Amino acid sequence: MEHTDFHGRARSGKGIVFSGVRRYIIVPTRSISYWSVVMKSYFRPEIDAMAGYVPGEQPKMANLVKLNTNENPYPASPRVREVIAGFDHAKLRRYPEPMADTLRDEIAGVLGVKRENIIAGNGSDDILTMTFRAFTAPDRPLACLDPTYSLYFELAKMQGAPVIRIGLDPEDFSMPENLLEQAADANLLIITRPNAPTGNSFDRERMRDICRKFDGIVFFDEAYADFAEDNCMEFATEFDNVIVSRTFSKSYSLAGLRLGYAVGNPEVIGGLFKLKDSYNLDMLTQEIGRAAFADRDYLRECCEQVKTTRAYLDAELKKIGFRVVPSQTNFLFAAPPDEDGGNYFRRLREQAIIVRYFPGEVTGRYVRITIGTPEEMDHLLDVTRAIYGK
């Protein structure tokens, strides 16, 4: 039997294996008269088994009301526009600061910590990737809440690390009393606070107790902390085993830029630096990030606007018969009157309103609605009232 690879070179033999740039295995099907060509995988088994993270949809639709990826409805600080307008493009021939020292100094000054306590990344997902590479492995499990940010599960698969899923209460999404007992075998415990996609937070003093008692790294993903009543940032310097991460994507209106940072013990942060890309933040991102972070008044103003609109949407949805999880984020996790989140998601989409739907026995009852402008929320409510006859 003769076979030809993709480069047209004939290979003769009994047809068990032939190779070119890629290797293929010839395997018999049910009938010995037919043969199938199966490409040999060069990936690690863990990678072959992964589905990969699926980001929120970025649809191209006319008159779209986009409420599915928790983007800020307001523009970034005016100082960002000034940086972009005044940026000297000739500087781009040089490499950026490899450690983002100037940006880290700006963040350190506001937080009251030292530069050595901070690492910056290409979005907080970059920080997460470093963290998983550092602290998870086949013999070093991850523990995290469920439901939570689904990227964690894919990063654990990449490391071949077991995952201990700690289920939240299916009615109010509160944390179980025996969390520490469930997480005891993990090397890394991630707590998303406030949680996504549910939007609720967890008692701060209980978080302190977890940090004190957990024998491993406690990672607080605080992507939404600027919309919350409190945060756990001080734990990053109070405890040697705590990392707190933040992002510029939500409260700073810079989702398109990709910038995040984490704070922790200098030895822990130093270990993460071993794992970062050589120049993981470009020059313009560092300058824009520094300007946005320094404008504290604008940050507070935008967050207050979002929180005011959040309270309004919460109250109006409840009038229609929705069950809404108390939120400390820039979104609401809300179950429609019939608790059919999938149907509500599809009906909104027909009207060019995009929200996020998470299939599942519990999550499938809800949709996640990003807080938009007041005008966008009124349009959403008008369509919702029409759907449910209110």
Side-chain angles (χ1 to χ4, degrees), residues 326-372:
S327 176
Q328 294 196 30
T329 63
N330 67 338
F331 62 83
L332 293 180
F333 202 51
D338 59 3
E339 295 200 340
D340 187 345
N343 178 61
Y344 181 49
F345 166 80
R346 289 185 291 271
R347 295 288 297 277
L348 289 178
R349 190 181 182 87
E350 292 170 359
Q351 302 298 318
I353 300 173
I354 307 298
V355 296
R356 192 78 186 265
Y357 172 63
F358 299 88
E361 183 179 351
V362 175
T363 56
R365 300 182 223 157
Y366 297 80
V367 296
R368 192 189 68 189
I369 306 170
T370 300
I371 303 302

mmCIF file of all heavy atoms in Angstrom, residues 326-372:
data_model
loop_
_atom_site.group_PDB
_atom_site.id
_atom_site.type_symbol
_atom_site.label_atom_id
_atom_site.label_comp_id
_atom_site.label_asym_id
_atom_site.label_seq_id
_atom_site.Cartn_x
_atom_site.Cartn_y
_atom_site.Cartn_z
ATOM 1 N N PRO A 326 -27.968 39.948 45.877
ATOM 2 C CA PRO A 326 -27.361 41.217 46.312
ATOM 3 C C PRO A 326 -25.957 41.370 45.726
ATOM 4 O O PRO A 326 -25.100 40.511 45.911
ATOM 5 C CB PRO A 326 -27.329 41.094 47.835
ATOM 6 C CG PRO A 326 -28.426 40.123 48.151
ATOM 7 C CD PRO A 326 -28.435 39.139 47.017
ATOM 8 N N SER A 327 -25.743 42.463 45.015
ATOM 9 C CA SER A 327 -24.502 42.621 44.253
ATOM 10 C C SER A 327 -23.607 43.699 44.832
ATOM 11 O O SER A 327 -24.073 44.755 45.267
ATOM 12 C CB SER A 327 -24.834 42.971 42.802
ATOM 13 O OG SER A 327 -23.652 43.230 42.065
ATOM 14 N N GLN A 328 -22.285 43.418 44.799
ATOM 15 C CA GLN A 328 -21.275 44.425 45.105
ATOM 16 C C GLN A 328 -20.307 44.557 43.922
ATOM 17 O O GLN A 328 -19.115 44.808 44.097
ATOM 18 C CB GLN A 328 -20.542 44.058 46.386
ATOM 19 C CG GLN A 328 -21.453 44.112 47.606
ATOM 20 C CD GLN A 328 -20.692 44.140 48.907
ATOM 21 O OE1 GLN A 328 -19.572 44.655 48.987
ATOM 22 N NE2 GLN A 328 -21.292 43.597 49.946
ATOM 23 N N THR A 329 -20.854 44.382 42.734
ATOM 24 C CA THR A 329 -20.065 44.432 41.504
ATOM 25 C C THR A 329 -20.696 45.426 40.534
ATOM 26 O O THR A 329 -21.596 46.180 40.903
ATOM 27 C CB THR A 329 -20.026 43.046 40.843
ATOM 28 O OG1 THR A 329 -21.364 42.684 40.464
ATOM 29 C CG2 THR A 329 -19.481 41.989 41.787
ATOM 30 N N ASN A 330 -20.245 45.403 39.286
ATOM 31 C CA ASN A 330 -20.873 46.229 38.252
ATOM 32 C C ASN A 330 -21.818 45.400 37.391
ATOM 33 O O ASN A 330 -21.985 45.649 36.203
ATOM 34 C CB ASN A 330 -19.814 46.921 37.384
ATOM 35 C CG ASN A 330 -19.013 45.948 36.546
ATOM 36 O OD1 ASN A 330 -18.926 44.758 36.856
ATOM 37 N ND2 ASN A 330 -18.415 46.437 35.474
ATOM 38 N N PHE A 331 -22.438 44.394 37.991
ATOM 39 C CA PHE A 331 -23.435 43.577 37.302
ATOM 40 C C PHE A 331 -24.436 43.030 38.314
ATOM 41 O O PHE A 331 -24.192 43.061 39.531
ATOM 42 C CB PHE A 331 -22.777 42.430 36.520
ATOM 43 C CG PHE A 331 -22.009 41.448 37.377
ATOM 44 C CD1 PHE A 331 -22.653 40.401 38.028
ATOM 45 C CD2 PHE A 331 -20.633 41.572 37.530
ATOM 46 C CE1 PHE A 331 -21.950 39.495 38.815
ATOM 47 C CE2 PHE A 331 -19.917 40.673 38.305
ATOM 48 C CZ PHE A 331 -20.579 39.633 38.955
ATOM 49 N N LEU A 332 -25.539 42.515 37.789
ATOM 50 C CA LEU A 332 -26.532 41.825 38.604
ATOM 51 C C LEU A 332 -26.699 40.405 38.082
ATOM 52 O O LEU A 332 -26.719 40.177 36.872
ATOM 53 C CB LEU A 332 -27.893 42.537 38.552
ATOM 54 C CG LEU A 332 -28.002 43.920 39.189
ATOM 55 C CD1 LEU A 332 -29.423 44.456 39.038
ATOM 56 C CD2 LEU A 332 -27.588 43.908 40.655
ATOM 57 N N PHE A 333 -26.829 39.470 39.006
ATOM 58 C CA PHE A 333 -27.154 38.085 38.681
ATOM 59 C C PHE A 333 -28.619 37.919 39.047
ATOM 60 O O PHE A 333 -28.981 37.934 40.235
ATOM 61 C CB PHE A 333 -26.265 37.143 39.486
ATOM 62 C CG PHE A 333 -26.112 35.770 38.903
ATOM 63 C CD1 PHE A 333 -25.750 35.580 37.579
ATOM 64 C CD2 PHE A 333 -26.301 34.645 39.696
ATOM 65 C CE1 PHE A 333 -25.585 34.306 37.048
ATOM 66 C CE2 PHE A 333 -26.144 33.367 39.179
ATOM 67 C CZ PHE A 333 -25.781 33.202 37.848
ATOM 68 N N ALA A 334 -29.460 37.790 38.034
ATOM 69 C CA ALA A 334 -30.891 37.909 38.257
ATOM 70 C C ALA A 334 -31.654 36.770 37.590
ATOM 71 O O ALA A 334 -31.377 36.421 36.439
ATOM 72 C CB ALA A 334 -31.388 39.248 37.714
ATOM 73 N N ALA A 335 -32.617 36.208 38.323
ATOM 74 C CA ALA A 335 -33.467 35.135 37.808
ATOM 75 C C ALA A 335 -34.824 35.710 37.436
ATOM 76 O O ALA A 335 -35.481 36.352 38.268
ATOM 77 C CB ALA A 335 -33.625 34.030 38.845
ATOM 78 N N PRO A 336 -35.279 35.509 36.197
ATOM 79 C CA PRO A 336 -36.596 36.023 35.793
ATOM 80 C C PRO A 336 -37.720 35.303 36.516
ATOM 81 O O PRO A 336 -37.490 34.285 37.181
ATOM 82 C CB PRO A 336 -36.621 35.748 34.281
ATOM 83 C CG PRO A 336 -35.649 34.643 34.071
ATOM 84 C CD PRO A 336 -34.586 34.818 35.110
ATOM 85 N N PRO A 337 -38.951 35.817 36.406
ATOM 86 C CA PRO A 337 -40.076 35.230 37.159
ATOM 87 C C PRO A 337 -40.259 33.733 36.927
ATOM 88 O O PRO A 337 -40.634 33.010 37.868
ATOM 89 C CB PRO A 337 -41.282 36.028 36.652
ATOM 90 C CG PRO A 337 -40.709 37.341 36.235
ATOM 91 C CD PRO A 337 -39.348 37.034 35.693
ATOM 92 N N ASP A 338 -40.015 33.255 35.708
ATOM 93 C CA ASP A 338 -40.187 31.824 35.431
ATOM 94 C C ASP A 338 -38.911 31.019 35.671
ATOM 95 O O ASP A 338 -38.876 29.817 35.423
ATOM 96 C CB ASP A 338 -40.674 31.606 33.998
ATOM 97 C CG ASP A 338 -39.708 32.168 32.952
ATOM 98 O OD1 ASP A 338 -38.633 32.679 33.344
ATOM 99 O OD2 ASP A 338 -40.029 32.096 31.746
ATOM 100 N N GLU A 339 -37.854 31.705 36.127
ATOM 101 C CA GLU A 339 -36.553 31.088 36.406
ATOM 102 C C GLU A 339 -35.999 30.332 35.198
ATOM 103 O O GLU A 339 -35.293 29.338 35.336
ATOM 104 C CB GLU A 339 -36.621 30.171 37.637
ATOM 105 C CG GLU A 339 -36.924 30.932 38.914
ATOM 106 C CD GLU A 339 -36.525 30.185 40.173
ATOM 107 O OE1 GLU A 339 -36.364 28.953 40.112
ATOM 108 O OE2 GLU A 339 -36.353 30.854 41.211
ATOM 109 N N ASP A 340 -36.278 30.828 34.018
ATOM 110 C CA ASP A 340 -35.725 30.278 32.780
ATOM 111 C C ASP A 340 -34.772 31.312 32.193
ATOM 112 O O ASP A 340 -35.151 32.118 31.338
ATOM 113 C CB ASP A 340 -36.842 29.941 31.793
ATOM 114 C CG ASP A 340 -36.334 29.201 30.557
ATOM 115 O OD1 ASP A 340 -35.107 29.199 30.323
ATOM 116 O OD2 ASP A 340 -37.171 28.639 29.819
ATOM 117 N N GLY A 341 -33.529 31.284 32.691
ATOM 118 C CA GLY A 341 -32.555 32.269 32.242
ATOM 119 C C GLY A 341 -32.264 32.171 30.758
ATOM 120 O O GLY A 341 -32.042 33.194 30.094
ATOM 121 N N GLY A 342 -32.277 30.960 30.220
ATOM 122 C CA GLY A 342 -31.982 30.775 28.803
ATOM 123 C C GLY A 342 -33.011 31.431 27.909
ATOM 124 O O GLY A 342 -32.667 32.066 26.897
ATOM 125 N N ASN A 343 -34.285 31.313 28.258
ATOM 126 C CA ASN A 343 -35.339 31.930 27.456
ATOM 127 C C ASN A 343 -35.234 33.452 27.505
ATOM 128 O O ASN A 343 -35.369 34.135 26.475
ATOM 129 C CB ASN A 343 -36.706 31.483 27.966
ATOM 130 C CG ASN A 343 -37.843 32.133 27.210
ATOM 131 O OD1 ASN A 343 -37.989 31.963 25.998
ATOM 132 N ND2 ASN A 343 -38.662 32.903 27.920
ATOM 133 N N TYR A 344 -34.997 33.997 28.698
ATOM 134 C CA TYR A 344 -34.851 35.448 28.842
ATOM 135 C C TYR A 344 -33.655 35.949 28.023
ATOM 136 O O TYR A 344 -33.752 36.976 27.327
ATOM 137 C CB TYR A 344 -34.695 35.800 30.310
ATOM 138 C CG TYR A 344 -34.558 37.273 30.616
ATOM 139 C CD1 TYR A 344 -35.444 38.203 30.089
ATOM 140 C CD2 TYR A 344 -33.547 37.723 31.467
ATOM 141 C CE1 TYR A 344 -35.318 39.556 30.382
ATOM 142 C CE2 TYR A 344 -33.425 39.064 31.778
ATOM 143 C CZ TYR A 344 -34.308 39.985 31.232
ATOM 144 O OH TYR A 344 -34.181 41.316 31.517
ATOM 145 N N PHE A 345 -32.565 35.219 28.087
ATOM 146 C CA PHE A 345 -31.372 35.557 27.306
ATOM 147 C C PHE A 345 -31.709 35.626 25.813
ATOM 148 O O PHE A 345 -31.330 36.579 25.115
ATOM 149 C CB PHE A 345 -30.286 34.508 27.571
ATOM 150 C CG PHE A 345 -29.137 34.515 26.611
ATOM 151 C CD1 PHE A 345 -28.112 35.444 26.735
ATOM 152 C CD2 PHE A 345 -29.063 33.588 25.579
ATOM 153 C CE1 PHE A 345 -27.046 35.446 25.845
ATOM 154 C CE2 PHE A 345 -28.006 33.586 24.683
ATOM 155 C CZ PHE A 345 -26.998 34.524 24.819
ATOM 156 N N ARG A 346 -32.414 34.629 25.314
ATOM 157 C CA ARG A 346 -32.742 34.590 23.885
ATOM 158 C C ARG A 346 -33.724 35.685 23.494
ATOM 159 O O ARG A 346 -33.589 36.303 22.423
ATOM 160 C CB ARG A 346 -33.306 33.213 23.531
ATOM 161 C CG ARG A 346 -32.267 32.098 23.564
ATOM 162 C CD ARG A 346 -32.827 30.779 23.094
ATOM 163 N NE ARG A 346 -33.813 30.228 24.029
ATOM 164 C CZ ARG A 346 -33.508 29.437 25.040
ATOM 165 N NH1 ARG A 346 -32.242 29.095 25.270
ATOM 166 N NH2 ARG A 346 -34.460 28.966 25.834
ATOM 167 N N ARG A 347 -34.700 35.956 24.361
ATOM 168 C CA ARG A 347 -35.685 37.000 24.049
ATOM 169 C C ARG A 347 -35.025 38.379 24.013
ATOM 170 O O ARG A 347 -35.371 39.216 23.168
ATOM 171 C CB ARG A 347 -36.811 36.977 25.096
ATOM 172 C CG ARG A 347 -37.649 35.697 25.103
ATOM 173 C CD ARG A 347 -38.553 35.611 23.900
ATOM 174 N NE ARG A 347 -39.548 36.676 23.840
ATOM 175 C CZ ARG A 347 -40.711 36.667 24.475
ATOM 176 N NH1 ARG A 347 -41.038 35.632 25.257
ATOM 177 N NH2 ARG A 347 -41.559 37.668 24.341
ATOM 178 N N LEU A 348 -34.089 38.622 24.911
ATOM 179 C CA LEU A 348 -33.363 39.895 24.878
ATOM 180 C C LEU A 348 -32.521 40.008 23.616
ATOM 181 O O LEU A 348 -32.449 41.079 22.995
ATOM 182 C CB LEU A 348 -32.470 40.022 26.115
ATOM 183 C CG LEU A 348 -33.151 40.248 27.461
ATOM 184 C CD1 LEU A 348 -32.116 40.294 28.576
ATOM 185 C CD2 LEU A 348 -33.985 41.532 27.461
ATOM 186 N N ARG A 349 -31.885 38.917 23.242
ATOM 187 C CA ARG A 349 -31.033 38.932 22.050
ATOM 188 C C ARG A 349 -31.832 39.282 20.798
ATOM 189 O O ARG A 349 -31.322 39.952 19.889
ATOM 190 C CB ARG A 349 -30.342 37.578 21.894
ATOM 191 C CG ARG A 349 -29.254 37.577 20.832
ATOM 192 C CD ARG A 349 -28.602 36.211 20.677
ATOM 193 N NE ARG A 349 -27.543 36.264 19.695
ATOM 194 C CZ ARG A 349 -26.285 36.591 19.945
ATOM 195 N NH1 ARG A 349 -25.927 36.862 21.182
ATOM 196 N NH2 ARG A 349 -25.386 36.640 18.985
ATOM 197 N N GLU A 350 -33.061 38.837 20.747
ATOM 198 C CA GLU A 350 -33.920 39.173 19.608
ATOM 199 C C GLU A 350 -34.117 40.677 19.487
ATOM 200 O O GLU A 350 -34.414 41.182 18.395
ATOM 201 C CB GLU A 350 -35.273 38.480 19.759
ATOM 202 C CG GLU A 350 -35.205 36.963 19.615
ATOM 203 C CD GLU A 350 -36.514 36.286 20.000
ATOM 204 O OE1 GLU A 350 -37.471 37.021 20.393
ATOM 205 O OE2 GLU A 350 -36.592 35.046 19.920
ATOM 206 N N GLN A 351 -33.943 41.377 20.598
ATOM 207 C CA GLN A 351 -34.083 42.836 20.618
ATOM 208 C C GLN A 351 -32.725 43.545 20.655
ATOM 209 O O GLN A 351 -32.641 44.715 21.022
ATOM 210 C CB GLN A 351 -34.915 43.249 21.834
ATOM 211 C CG GLN A 351 -36.294 42.632 21.885
ATOM 212 C CD GLN A 351 -37.151 43.040 20.712
ATOM 213 O OE1 GLN A 351 -37.147 44.209 20.307
ATOM 214 N NE2 GLN A 351 -37.898 42.094 20.142
ATOM 215 N N ALA A 352 -31.664 42.823 20.273
ATOM 216 C CA ALA A 352 -30.294 43.363 20.213
ATOM 217 C C ALA A 352 -29.787 43.802 21.584
ATOM 218 O O ALA A 352 -28.995 44.744 21.691
ATOM 219 C CB ALA A 352 -30.198 44.518 19.212
ATOM 220 N N ILE A 353 -30.241 43.103 22.630
ATOM 221 C CA ILE A 353 -29.710 43.308 23.978
ATOM 222 C C ILE A 353 -28.977 42.025 24.363
ATOM 223 O O ILE A 353 -29.577 40.947 24.422
ATOM 224 C CB ILE A 353 -30.821 43.610 24.994
ATOM 225 C CG1 ILE A 353 -31.584 44.876 24.594
ATOM 226 C CG2 ILE A 353 -30.231 43.752 26.398
ATOM 227 C CD1 ILE A 353 -32.802 45.155 25.462
ATOM 228 N N ILE A 354 -27.682 42.139 24.631
ATOM 229 C CA ILE A 354 -26.859 40.959 24.908
ATOM 230 C C ILE A 354 -26.493 40.934 26.386
ATOM 231 O O ILE A 354 -25.857 41.868 26.900
ATOM 232 C CB ILE A 354 -25.573 40.951 24.064
ATOM 233 C CG1 ILE A 354 -25.898 41.123 22.574
ATOM 234 C CG2 ILE A 354 -24.792 39.655 24.291
ATOM 235 C CD1 ILE A 354 -26.738 40.018 21.988
ATOM 236 N N VAL A 355 -26.916 39.880 27.088
ATOM 237 C CA VAL A 355 -26.487 39.639 28.466
ATOM 238 C C VAL A 355 -25.744 38.309 28.476
ATOM 239 O O VAL A 355 -25.554 37.676 27.449
ATOM 240 C CB VAL A 355 -27.690 39.633 29.435
ATOM 241 C CG1 VAL A 355 -28.362 41.001 29.461
ATOM 242 C CG2 VAL A 355 -28.690 38.540 29.069
ATOM 243 N N ARG A 356 -25.278 37.868 29.635
ATOM 244 C CA ARG A 356 -24.510 36.617 29.721
ATOM 245 C C ARG A 356 -25.371 35.538 30.374
ATOM 246 O O ARG A 356 -25.996 35.781 31.424
ATOM 247 C CB ARG A 356 -23.225 36.835 30.531
ATOM 248 C CG ARG A 356 -22.205 35.685 30.447
ATOM 249 C CD ARG A 356 -21.419 35.715 29.165
ATOM 250 N NE ARG A 356 -20.555 34.551 29.038
ATOM 251 C CZ ARG A 356 -19.253 34.518 29.393
ATOM 252 N NH1 ARG A 356 -18.690 35.593 29.906
ATOM 253 N NH2 ARG A 356 -18.545 33.429 29.229
ATOM 254 N N TYR A 357 -25.360 34.377 29.753
ATOM 255 C CA TYR A 357 -26.106 33.231 30.268
ATOM 256 C C TYR A 357 -25.140 32.100 30.558
ATOM 257 O O TYR A 357 -24.268 31.792 29.741
ATOM 258 C CB TYR A 357 -27.160 32.786 29.247
ATOM 259 C CG TYR A 357 -27.860 31.496 29.599
ATOM 260 C CD1 TYR A 357 -28.645 31.404 30.746
ATOM 261 C CD2 TYR A 357 -27.740 30.370 28.785
ATOM 262 C CE1 TYR A 357 -29.293 30.223 31.073
ATOM 263 C CE2 TYR A 357 -28.386 29.184 29.103
ATOM 264 C CZ TYR A 357 -29.155 29.113 30.247
ATOM 265 O OH TYR A 357 -29.783 27.936 30.578
ATOM 266 N N PHE A 358 -25.292 31.480 31.727
ATOM 267 C CA PHE A 358 -24.437 30.378 32.146
ATOM 268 C C PHE A 358 -25.307 29.128 32.329
ATOM 269 O O PHE A 358 -25.987 29.000 33.347
ATOM 270 C CB PHE A 358 -23.720 30.710 33.457
ATOM 271 C CG PHE A 358 -22.816 31.901 33.384
ATOM 272 C CD1 PHE A 358 -23.314 33.178 33.632
ATOM 273 C CD2 PHE A 358 -21.482 31.759 33.062
ATOM 274 C CE1 PHE A 358 -22.487 34.285 33.561
ATOM 275 C CE2 PHE A 358 -20.641 32.864 32.987
ATOM 276 C CZ PHE A 358 -21.147 34.133 33.230
ATOM 277 N N PRO A 359 -25.309 28.212 31.355
ATOM 278 C CA PRO A 359 -26.122 27.007 31.500
ATOM 279 C C PRO A 359 -25.726 26.223 32.753
ATOM 280 O O PRO A 359 -24.573 26.228 33.167
ATOM 281 C CB PRO A 359 -25.796 26.216 30.227
ATOM 282 C CG PRO A 359 -25.284 27.224 29.253
ATOM 283 C CD PRO A 359 -24.568 28.236 30.089
ATOM 284 N N GLY A 360 -26.688 25.545 33.340
ATOM 285 C CA GLY A 360 -26.426 24.737 34.527
ATOM 286 C C GLY A 360 -27.683 24.613 35.358
ATOM 287 O O GLY A 360 -28.622 25.413 35.236
ATOM 288 N N GLU A 361 -27.698 23.620 36.222
ATOM 289 C CA GLU A 361 -28.885 23.370 37.042
ATOM 290 C C GLU A 361 -29.242 24.575 37.897
ATOM 291 O O GLU A 361 -30.418 24.916 38.060
ATOM 292 C CB GLU A 361 -28.656 22.145 37.931
ATOM 293 C CG GLU A 361 -29.852 21.768 38.777
ATOM 294 C CD GLU A 361 -29.611 20.546 39.630
ATOM 295 O OE1 GLU A 361 -28.567 19.872 39.446
ATOM 296 O OE2 GLU A 361 -30.464 20.259 40.493
ATOM 297 N N VAL A 362 -28.219 25.235 38.459
ATOM 298 C CA VAL A 362 -28.459 26.411 39.299
ATOM 299 C C VAL A 362 -28.284 27.686 38.492
ATOM 300 O O VAL A 362 -29.180 28.536 38.442
ATOM 301 C CB VAL A 362 -27.512 26.416 40.516
ATOM 302 C CG1 VAL A 362 -27.684 27.703 41.322
ATOM 303 C CG2 VAL A 362 -27.797 25.203 41.403
ATOM 304 N N THR A 363 -27.143 27.853 37.849
ATOM 305 C CA THR A 363 -26.860 29.096 37.125
ATOM 306 C C THR A 363 -27.810 29.316 35.951
ATOM 307 O O THR A 363 -28.038 30.460 35.547
ATOM 308 C CB THR A 363 -25.417 29.105 36.626
ATOM 309 O OG1 THR A 363 -25.189 27.940 35.809
ATOM 310 C CG2 THR A 363 -24.439 29.113 37.791
ATOM 311 N N GLY A 364 -28.367 28.236 35.409
ATOM 312 C CA GLY A 364 -29.266 28.367 34.274
ATOM 313 C C GLY A 364 -30.562 29.086 34.588
ATOM 314 O O GLY A 364 -31.292 29.486 33.674
ATOM 315 N N ARG A 365 -30.851 29.274 35.864
ATOM 316 C CA ARG A 365 -32.055 30.029 36.240
ATOM 317 C C ARG A 365 -31.838 31.537 36.075
ATOM 318 O O ARG A 365 -32.806 32.309 36.109
ATOM 319 C CB ARG A 365 -32.413 29.763 37.701
ATOM 320 C CG ARG A 365 -32.715 28.318 38.052
ATOM 321 C CD ARG A 365 -33.088 28.224 39.521
ATOM 322 N NE ARG A 365 -32.462 27.088 40.169
ATOM 323 C CZ ARG A 365 -32.249 26.995 41.468
ATOM 324 N NH1 ARG A 365 -32.575 27.989 42.266
ATOM 325 N NH2 ARG A 365 -31.695 25.915 41.987
ATOM 326 N N TYR A 366 -30.591 31.947 35.938
ATOM 327 C CA TYR A 366 -30.236 33.360 35.994
ATOM 328 C C TYR A 366 -29.636 33.840 34.670
ATOM 329 O O TYR A 366 -29.249 33.057 33.813
ATOM 330 C CB TYR A 366 -29.173 33.590 37.083
ATOM 331 C CG TYR A 366 -29.605 33.267 38.485
ATOM 332 C CD1 TYR A 366 -29.627 31.943 38.941
ATOM 333 C CD2 TYR A 366 -29.977 34.270 39.369
ATOM 334 C CE1 TYR A 366 -30.007 31.643 40.237
ATOM 335 C CE2 TYR A 366 -30.358 33.975 40.671
ATOM 336 C CZ TYR A 366 -30.368 32.655 41.105
ATOM 337 O OH TYR A 366 -30.739 32.359 42.390
ATOM 338 N N VAL A 367 -29.518 35.159 34.563
ATOM 339 C CA VAL A 367 -28.631 35.788 33.592
ATOM 340 C C VAL A 367 -27.788 36.805 34.360
ATOM 341 O O VAL A 367 -28.170 37.261 35.443
ATOM 342 C CB VAL A 367 -29.393 36.499 32.449
ATOM 343 C CG1 VAL A 367 -30.192 35.509 31.622
ATOM 344 C CG2 VAL A 367 -30.261 37.624 32.982
ATOM 345 N N ARG A 368 -26.644 37.116 33.790
ATOM 346 C CA ARG A 368 -25.798 38.161 34.377
ATOM 347 C C ARG A 368 -25.917 39.410 33.508
ATOM 348 O O ARG A 368 -25.659 39.371 32.309
ATOM 349 C CB ARG A 368 -24.342 37.697 34.448
ATOM 350 C CG ARG A 368 -23.452 38.595 35.291
ATOM 351 C CD ARG A 368 -21.995 38.207 35.156
ATOM 352 N NE ARG A 368 -21.491 38.500 33.809
ATOM 353 C CZ ARG A 368 -20.301 38.111 33.356
ATOM 354 N NH1 ARG A 368 -19.509 37.390 34.121
ATOM 355 N NH2 ARG A 368 -19.912 38.432 32.138
ATOM 356 N N ILE A 369 -26.291 40.513 34.134
ATOM 357 C CA ILE A 369 -26.549 41.762 33.417
ATOM 358 C C ILE A 369 -25.526 42.805 33.843
ATOM 359 O O ILE A 369 -25.477 43.220 35.009
ATOM 360 C CB ILE A 369 -27.962 42.292 33.714
ATOM 361 C CG1 ILE A 369 -29.021 41.214 33.416
ATOM 362 C CG2 ILE A 369 -28.233 43.557 32.906
ATOM 363 C CD1 ILE A 369 -30.414 41.584 33.912
ATOM 364 N N THR A 370 -24.694 43.242 32.920
ATOM 365 C CA THR A 370 -23.748 44.321 33.198
ATOM 366 C C THR A 370 -24.502 45.624 33.417
ATOM 367 O O THR A 370 -25.472 45.924 32.711
ATOM 368 C CB THR A 370 -22.777 44.488 32.017
ATOM 369 O OG1 THR A 370 -22.063 43.267 31.813
ATOM 370 C CG2 THR A 370 -21.788 45.612 32.270
ATOM 371 N N ILE A 371 -24.055 46.410 34.378
ATOM 372 C CA ILE A 371 -24.658 47.728 34.602
ATOM 373 C C ILE A 371 -24.179 48.673 33.504
ATOM 374 O O ILE A 371 -22.980 48.925 33.357
ATOM 375 C CB ILE A 371 -24.277 48.283 35.985
ATOM 376 C CG1 ILE A 371 -24.704 47.308 37.092
ATOM 377 C CG2 ILE A 371 -24.902 49.667 36.182
ATOM 378 C CD1 ILE A 371 -26.183 46.984 37.112
ATOM 379 N N GLY A 372 -25.135 49.176 32.723
ATOM 380 C CA GLY A 372 -24.819 50.116 31.654
ATOM 381 C C GLY A 372 -25.183 51.531 32.062
ATOM 382 O O GLY A 372 -25.299 51.862 33.249
#
